[in-house]
Amino acid sequence: AAGAKRALVLPVGGAFHSPVMEPAREELAAMIDKTNFSKPLCPVYQNVTASAVNNENEITYIALKNM
């Protein structure tokens, strides 16, 4: 038979990295497109890569990828 056999409640704060977040990602992308970003004064670390990023375009790309 089709369908879920079991469901588990996961200890998370949101539906991150799921299709449920796509509308929020699209809204964030629209806001990012309207915003002028400058080169950061210090490296930015994001949880997607956990590495130092100094390029403003890469920072915004990673922010969207994180959604």
Side-chain angles (χ1 to χ4, degrees):
K5 303 293 183 216
R6 182 173 109 168
L8 300 172
V9 176
L10 299 176
V12 297
F16 308 110
H17 306 291
S18 77
V20 174
M21 294 301 292
E22 186 59 24
R25 192 200 66 74
E26 290 171 0
E27 188 174 333
L28 177 62
M31 288 295 159
I32 285 175
D33 284 343
K34 295 178 185 177
T35 305
N36 292 321
F37 291 91
S38 299
K39 183 174 175 70
L41 299 175
C42 63
V44 174
Y45 290 82
Q46 294 168 297
N47 64 353
V48 173
T49 62
S51 61
V53 179
N54 292 302
N55 179 289
E56 62 273 19
N57 294 323
E58 189 175 355
I59 291 168
T60 57
Y61 170 77
I62 293 170
L64 290 174
K65 189 175 177 182
N66 193 38
M67 292 283 296

